[in-house]
Coordinates of all heavy atoms in Angstrom, one line a residue:
M1 N -0.9 -11.2 -5.8 CA 0.3 -11.4 -5.1 C 1.4 -10.5 -5.7 O 1.5 -10.3 -6.9 CB 0.8 -12.9 -5.2 CG 1.9 -13.2 -4.3 SD 1.8 -15.0 -4.1 CE 2.5 -15.2 -2.5
T2 N 2.2 -9.9 -4.8 CA 3.2 -8.9 -5.3 C 4.6 -9.4 -4.7 O 4.7 -10.3 -3.9 CB 3.0 -7.5 -4.8 OG1 3.1 -7.5 -3.4 CG2 1.6 -7.1 -5.1
D3 N 5.6 -8.7 -5.1 CA 7.0 -8.9 -4.6 C 7.1 -8.7 -3.1 O 7.9 -9.3 -2.4 CB 8.0 -8.1 -5.3 CG 8.2 -8.4 -6.7 OD1 7.9 -9.6 -7.1 OD2 8.7 -7.6 -7.5
A4 N 6.2 -7.9 -2.5 CA 6.2 -7.7 -1.1 C 5.9 -8.9 -0.3 O 6.3 -9.1 0.8 CB 5.2 -6.6 -0.7
A5 N 5.1 -9.8 -0.9 CA 4.8 -11.1 -0.3 C 6.0 -11.9 0.1 O 6.1 -12.5 1.1 CB 3.8 -11.9 -1.1
A6 N 7.0 -11.9 -0.8 CA 8.2 -12.6 -0.5 C 9.3 -11.7 0.3 O 10.0 -12.3 1.1 CB 8.9 -13.0 -1.8
A7 N 9.3 -10.4 0.0 CA 10.2 -9.6 0.7 C 10.1 -9.6 2.2 O 11.1 -9.5 2.9 CB 10.1 -8.1 0.2
H8 N 8.9 -9.7 2.7 CA 8.8 -9.6 4.2 C 9.3 -10.9 4.8 O 9.5 -11.0 6.1 CB 7.3 -9.4 4.6 CG 6.5 -10.6 4.6 ND1 5.9 -11.1 3.5 CD2 6.1 -11.4 5.6 CE1 5.2 -12.2 3.8 NE2 5.3 -12.3 5.1
L9 N 9.7 -11.9 4.1 CA 10.2 -13.2 4.6 C 11.7 -13.3 4.5 O 12.3 -14.2 5.0 CB 9.6 -14.4 3.9 CG 8.0 -14.5 4.0 CD1 7.5 -15.6 3.2 CD2 7.7 -14.7 5.5
V10 N 12.4 -12.4 3.7 CA 13.8 -12.5 3.5 C 14.6 -12.2 4.7 O 14.3 -11.3 5.5 CB 14.2 -11.4 2.4 CG1 15.7 -11.4 2.2 CG2 13.5 -11.8 1.1
G11 N 15.6 -13.0 5.0 CA 16.5 -12.8 6.2 C 15.6 -12.8 7.4 O 14.8 -13.6 7.7
G12 N 15.8 -11.7 8.2 CA 15.1 -11.5 9.4 C 13.8 -10.8 9.2 O 13.0 -10.5 10.1
G13 N 13.5 -10.6 7.9 CA 12.2 -9.9 7.6 C 12.4 -8.5 7.2 O 13.3 -7.8 7.8
I14 N 11.7 -8.0 6.2 CA 11.8 -6.6 5.7 C 10.4 -6.1 5.9 O 9.4 -6.6 5.3 CB 12.2 -6.6 4.3 CG1 13.6 -7.1 4.1 CG2 12.2 -5.1 3.8 CD1 14.1 -7.3 2.6
T15 N 10.2 -5.0 6.6 CA 8.9 -4.4 6.8 C 8.4 -3.9 5.4 O 9.2 -3.2 4.7 CB 9.0 -3.3 7.8 OG1 9.5 -3.7 9.0 CG2 7.6 -2.7 8.0
T16 N 7.2 -4.3 5.1 CA 6.7 -3.9 3.8 C 5.3 -3.4 4.0 O 4.6 -3.6 5.0 CB 6.6 -5.1 2.9 OG1 5.8 -6.1 3.4 CG2 7.9 -5.7 2.5
L17 N 4.9 -2.6 3.1 CA 3.5 -2.0 3.0 C 3.1 -1.9 1.6 O 3.8 -1.4 0.8 CB 3.5 -0.6 3.7 CG 2.2 0.1 3.6 CD1 1.1 -0.5 4.4 CD2 2.4 1.6 4.0
E18 N 1.9 -2.4 1.3 CA 1.4 -2.3 0.0 C 0.2 -1.3 0.0 O -0.6 -1.4 0.9 CB 0.8 -3.7 -0.5 CG 1.9 -4.7 -0.7 CD 1.3 -6.0 -1.3 OE1 0.3 -5.9 -2.1 OE2 1.8 -7.0 -0.9
V19 N 0.2 -0.4 -0.9 CA -0.9 0.5 -1.1 C -1.6 0.1 -2.4 O -0.9 0.2 -3.5 CB -0.5 2.0 -1.1 CG1 -1.7 2.9 -1.3 CG2 0.2 2.3 0.3
K20 N -2.8 -0.3 -2.4 CA -3.5 -0.7 -3.6 C -4.6 0.2 -3.9 O -5.3 0.7 -3.0 CB -3.9 -2.2 -3.4 CG -2.8 -3.1 -3.3 CD -3.2 -4.6 -3.3 CE -2.0 -5.5 -3.2 NZ -2.4 -6.9 -3.4
I21 N -4.9 0.3 -5.1 CA -6.0 1.2 -5.6 C -7.1 0.2 -6.1 O -6.9 -0.6 -7.1 CB -5.6 2.1 -6.7 CG1 -4.4 3.0 -6.1 CG2 -6.7 3.0 -7.1 CD1 -3.7 3.8 -7.2
P22 N -8.3 0.3 -5.6 CA -9.4 -0.5 -6.1 C -9.7 -0.2 -7.6 O -9.7 1.0 -8.0 CB -10.6 -0.2 -5.2 CG -10.3 1.0 -4.6 CD -8.8 1.2 -4.5
R23 N -9.9 -1.2 -8.4 CA -10.2 -1.0 -9.8 C -11.0 -2.2 -10.3 O -11.1 -3.2 -9.7 CB -9.0 -0.8 -10.6 CG -8.0 -2.0 -10.5 CD -6.6 -1.6 -10.9 NE -5.8 -2.7 -11.1 CZ -5.2 -3.5 -10.2 NH1 -5.5 -3.2 -8.9 NH2 -4.5 -4.5 -10.5
R24 N -11.6 -2.0 -11.5 CA -12.4 -3.0 -12.1 C -11.7 -3.5 -13.4 O -11.0 -2.7 -14.0 CB -13.8 -2.5 -12.5 CG -14.7 -2.3 -11.3 CD -16.0 -1.9 -11.8 NE -17.0 -1.9 -10.7 CZ -18.2 -1.7 -10.9 NH1 -18.8 -1.5 -12.1 NH2 -19.0 -1.7 -9.8
Y25 N -11.9 -4.7 -13.7 CA -11.5 -5.3 -15.0 C -9.9 -5.2 -15.1 O -9.4 -4.8 -16.1 CB -12.1 -4.6 -16.2 CG -13.6 -4.3 -16.1 CD1 -14.1 -3.1 -16.0 CD2 -14.4 -5.4 -15.9 CE1 -15.5 -2.9 -15.9 CE2 -15.8 -5.2 -15.7 CZ -16.3 -3.9 -15.7 OH -17.7 -3.7 -15.5
S26 N -9.3 -5.7 -14.0 CA -7.8 -5.7 -14.0 C -7.2 -6.4 -15.2 O -7.7 -7.5 -15.6 CB -7.3 -6.3 -12.7 OG -7.7 -5.5 -11.6
H27 N -6.2 -5.9 -15.7 CA -5.4 -6.5 -16.8 C -6.2 -6.7 -18.1 O -5.9 -7.5 -18.9 CB -4.8 -7.9 -16.4 CG -4.1 -7.8 -15.1 ND1 -2.9 -7.2 -14.9 CD2 -4.4 -8.3 -13.8 CE1 -2.5 -7.3 -13.7 NE2 -3.4 -8.0 -13.0
S28 N -7.2 -5.8 -18.3 CA -8.0 -5.9 -19.5 C -7.7 -4.5 -20.2 O -7.2 -3.6 -19.6 CB -9.5 -6.0 -19.3 OG -10.0 -4.9 -18.8
P29 N -8.1 -4.4 -21.5 CA -7.9 -3.1 -22.2 C -8.7 -2.0 -21.6 O -8.4 -0.9 -21.9 CB -8.3 -3.5 -23.6 CG -8.2 -4.9 -23.7 CD -8.5 -5.5 -22.4
D30 N -9.8 -2.4 -20.9 CA -10.7 -1.3 -20.3 C -10.7 -1.3 -18.8 O -11.7 -1.1 -18.2 CB -12.1 -1.7 -20.8 CG -12.2 -1.6 -22.3 OD1 -11.7 -0.7 -22.9 OD2 -12.9 -2.5 -22.9
E31 N -9.5 -1.4 -18.2 CA -9.4 -1.3 -16.8 C -9.9 0.1 -16.3 O -9.6 1.1 -16.9 CB -8.0 -1.5 -16.3 CG -7.8 -1.6 -14.9 CD -6.4 -2.1 -14.5 OE1 -5.7 -2.6 -15.4 OE2 -6.1 -2.0 -13.3
L32 N -10.7 0.1 -15.2 CA -11.3 1.3 -14.7 C -10.9 1.6 -13.3 O -10.7 0.6 -12.5 CB -12.8 1.2 -14.8 CG -13.4 1.0 -16.1 CD1 -14.9 0.8 -16.0 CD2 -13.2 2.2 -17.0
L33 N -10.8 2.8 -12.9 CA -10.6 3.2 -11.5 C -11.3 4.5 -11.3 O -11.5 5.3 -12.2 CB -9.1 3.2 -11.1 CG -8.2 4.3 -11.7 CD1 -8.2 5.6 -10.9 CD2 -6.8 3.7 -11.8
D34 N -11.6 4.8 -10.0 CA -12.2 6.0 -9.6 C -11.0 7.0 -9.3 O -10.2 6.7 -8.5 CB -13.1 5.8 -8.4 CG -13.9 7.1 -8.0 OD1 -13.3 8.2 -8.1 OD2 -15.1 6.9 -7.7
L35 N -11.0 8.1 -9.9 CA -9.9 9.1 -9.7 C -9.8 9.6 -8.3 O -8.7 9.9 -7.8 CB -10.0 10.3 -10.7 CG -9.8 9.9 -12.1 CD1 -10.0 11.2 -13.0 CD2 -8.4 9.4 -12.4
R36 N -10.9 9.5 -7.5 CA -10.9 9.9 -6.1 C -10.1 8.9 -5.3 O -9.4 9.2 -4.4 CB -12.3 10.0 -5.6 CG -13.1 11.2 -6.2 CD -14.5 11.2 -5.8 NE -15.1 10.0 -6.4 CZ -16.4 9.8 -6.4 NH1 -17.3 10.6 -5.8 NH2 -16.9 8.7 -7.0
D37 N -10.2 7.6 -5.7 CA -9.4 6.5 -5.0 C -7.9 6.7 -5.3 O -7.1 6.6 -4.4 CB -9.8 5.1 -5.5 CG -11.2 4.7 -5.0 OD1 -11.6 5.2 -3.9 OD2 -11.8 3.9 -5.7
L38 N -7.6 7.1 -6.5 CA -6.2 7.4 -6.9 C -5.7 8.6 -6.1 O -4.6 8.5 -5.5 CB -6.1 7.7 -8.4 CG -4.7 8.0 -8.9 CD1 -3.7 6.9 -8.6 CD2 -4.8 8.4 -10.4
A39 N -6.4 9.6 -6.0 CA -6.0 10.8 -5.2 C -5.8 10.5 -3.8 O -4.9 10.9 -3.1 CB -7.0 11.9 -5.4
A40 N -6.7 9.7 -3.2 CA -6.6 9.3 -1.8 C -5.4 8.4 -1.6 O -4.7 8.6 -0.5 CB -7.9 8.5 -1.4
A41 N -5.1 7.5 -2.5 CA -3.9 6.7 -2.3 C -2.6 7.5 -2.4 O -1.7 7.3 -1.6 CB -3.9 5.6 -3.4
L42 N -2.6 8.5 -3.3 CA -1.4 9.4 -3.4 C -1.3 10.2 -2.2 O -0.2 10.4 -1.7 CB -1.6 10.3 -4.6 CG -1.4 9.6 -6.0 CD1 -1.7 10.6 -7.1 CD2 0.0 9.1 -6.1
A43 N -2.4 10.7 -1.6 CA -2.3 11.5 -0.4 C -1.8 10.6 0.8 O -1.0 11.1 1.6 CB -3.7 12.0 0.0
L44 N -2.2 9.4 0.9 CA -1.7 8.5 1.9 C -0.2 8.2 1.8 O 0.5 8.3 2.8 CB -2.5 7.1 1.8 CG -2.0 6.0 2.7 CD1 -2.2 6.4 4.2 CD2 -2.7 4.7 2.4
V45 N 0.2 7.9 0.6 CA 1.7 7.7 0.4 C 2.5 9.0 0.7 O 3.5 8.9 1.4 CB 1.9 7.2 -1.1 CG1 3.4 7.2 -1.4 CG2 1.3 5.9 -1.3
E46 N 2.0 10.1 0.3 CA 2.6 11.4 0.6 C 2.7 11.6 2.1 O 3.8 11.9 2.6 CB 1.9 12.5 -0.1 CG 2.6 13.9 0.2 CD 1.8 15.0 -0.4 OE1 0.6 15.0 -0.6 OE2 2.5 16.0 -0.8
E47 N 1.7 11.3 2.8 CA 1.7 11.5 4.3 C 2.7 10.5 4.9 O 3.4 10.9 5.8 CB 0.3 11.2 4.8 CG 0.2 11.4 6.3 CD 0.4 12.9 6.8 OE1 0.2 13.8 6.0 OE2 0.7 13.0 8.0
L48 N 2.7 9.3 4.4 CA 3.7 8.3 5.0 C 5.1 8.7 4.7 O 6.0 8.5 5.6 CB 3.4 6.9 4.5 CG 2.1 6.3 5.0 CD1 1.8 5.0 4.2 CD2 2.3 5.9 6.5
V49 N 5.4 9.3 3.6 CA 6.8 9.7 3.2 C 7.2 10.9 4.0 O 8.3 11.0 4.5 CB 6.9 9.9 1.7 CG1 8.2 10.6 1.4 CG2 6.7 8.6 0.9
L50 N 6.3 11.9 4.1 CA 6.6 13.1 4.8 C 6.6 13.0 6.3 O 7.3 13.7 7.0 CB 5.7 14.2 4.3 CG 5.8 14.6 2.8 CD1 4.7 15.7 2.5 CD2 7.2 15.1 2.5
H51 N 5.7 12.1 6.8 CA 5.6 11.9 8.3 C 5.6 10.4 8.6 O 4.5 9.9 8.9 CB 4.3 12.6 8.8 CG 4.2 14.0 8.4 ND1 3.5 14.5 7.3 CD2 4.8 15.1 8.9 CE1 3.6 15.8 7.3 NE2 4.4 16.2 8.2
P52 N 6.7 9.8 8.4 CA 6.7 8.3 8.7 C 6.4 8.0 10.2 O 6.7 8.8 11.1 CB 8.2 7.9 8.4 CG 9.0 9.1 8.4 CD 8.0 10.3 8.1
P53 N 5.8 6.9 10.4 CA 5.4 6.5 11.8 C 6.7 6.3 12.6 O 7.7 5.8 12.1 CB 4.6 5.2 11.6 CG 4.9 4.7 10.2 CD 5.3 5.9 9.4
T54 N 6.5 6.5 13.9 CA 7.7 6.3 14.8 C 7.8 4.9 15.2 O 6.8 4.1 15.0 CB 7.5 7.2 16.1 OG1 6.3 6.7 16.7 CG2 7.3 8.6 15.8
V55 N 8.9 4.5 15.8 CA 9.1 3.1 16.3 C 8.0 2.8 17.3 O 7.4 1.7 17.3 CB 10.5 3.0 16.9 CG1 10.6 1.6 17.5 CG2 11.5 3.1 15.8
E56 N 7.6 3.7 18.1 CA 6.6 3.5 19.1 C 5.3 3.3 18.5 O 4.5 2.4 18.9 CB 6.5 4.7 20.1 CG 7.7 4.9 21.0 CD 8.8 5.7 20.3 OE1 8.6 6.4 19.3 OE2 10.0 5.5 20.7
A57 N 5.0 4.0 17.4 CA 3.7 3.8 16.7 C 3.6 2.4 16.1 O 2.5 1.9 15.9 CB 3.5 4.9 15.7
L58 N 4.7 1.8 15.8 CA 4.8 0.5 15.1 C 5.1 -0.6 16.1 O 5.3 -1.7 15.7 CB 5.8 0.5 14.0 CG 5.5 1.5 12.8 CD1 6.7 1.5 11.9 CD2 4.2 1.2 12.2
S59 N 5.1 -0.3 17.4 CA 5.5 -1.3 18.4 C 4.5 -2.5 18.4 O 4.9 -3.6 18.8 CB 5.6 -0.7 19.8 OG 4.3 -0.2 20.2
F60 N 3.3 -2.4 17.9 CA 2.4 -3.5 17.9 C 2.8 -4.6 16.9 O 2.3 -5.7 17.0 CB 1.0 -3.0 17.5 CG 0.9 -2.5 16.1 CD1 0.4 -3.4 15.1 CD2 1.2 -1.2 15.8 CE1 0.3 -3.0 13.8 CE2 1.0 -0.8 14.5 CZ 0.6 -1.7 13.5
L61 N 3.8 -4.3 16.1 CA 4.3 -5.3 15.1 C 5.4 -6.2 15.7 O 5.7 -7.2 15.0 CB 4.9 -4.5 13.9 CG 3.9 -3.7 13.0 CD1 4.6 -2.9 12.0 CD2 2.8 -4.6 12.4
K62 N 5.9 -5.9 16.8 CA 7.0 -6.7 17.4 C 6.5 -8.2 17.6 O 5.4 -8.4 18.0 CB 7.4 -6.2 18.7 CG 8.3 -4.9 18.6 CD 8.8 -4.4 19.9 CE 9.6 -3.2 19.7 NZ 10.2 -2.7 20.9
G63 N 7.4 -9.1 17.2 CA 7.1 -10.5 17.4 C 6.2 -11.1 16.3 O 5.8 -12.2 16.4
R64 N 6.0 -10.3 15.3 CA 5.2 -10.9 14.2 C 6.0 -11.3 13.0 O 7.0 -10.8 12.7 CB 4.1 -9.8 13.7 CG 3.1 -9.6 14.8 CD 2.1 -8.7 14.2 NE 1.1 -8.4 15.3 CZ -0.2 -8.4 15.2 NH1 -0.7 -8.5 14.0 NH2 -0.9 -8.2 16.2

């Protein structure tokens, strides 16, 4: 659970998006991840920042 879980409920709602990277042994001294997953997550975030979706593209979210 993250802060986004509560943020989307504040007031009239705040649109949130979580981008998570799959990994093993979370919160241990030997946490592991695949660097390809990290690179893909960074590319996804970069694309969303540089080319955010339009209101029309997000119209399926209305009423949720």
Side-chain angles (χ1 to χ4, degrees):
M1 192 161 207
T2 69
D3 291 338
H8 83 280
L9 299 174
V10 173
I14 299 172
T15 304
T16 59
L17 172 70
E18 293 183 34
V19 176
K20 296 186 177 189
I21 303 167
R23 60 200 192 284
R24 287 186 173 185
Y25 316 118
S26 297
H27 310 292
S28 75
D30 298 318
E31 187 169 347
L32 300 174
L33 65 89
D34 188 317
L35 292 177
R36 293 172 293 190
D37 290 332
L38 177 61
L42 289 172
L44 174 64
V45 170
E46 180 179 30
E47 183 66 22
L48 287 170
V49 169
L50 295 177
H51 306 99
T54 63
V55 172
E56 293 81 24
L58 297 175
S59 64
F60 68 94
L61 296 173
K62 287 186 179 180
R64 293 184 184 221

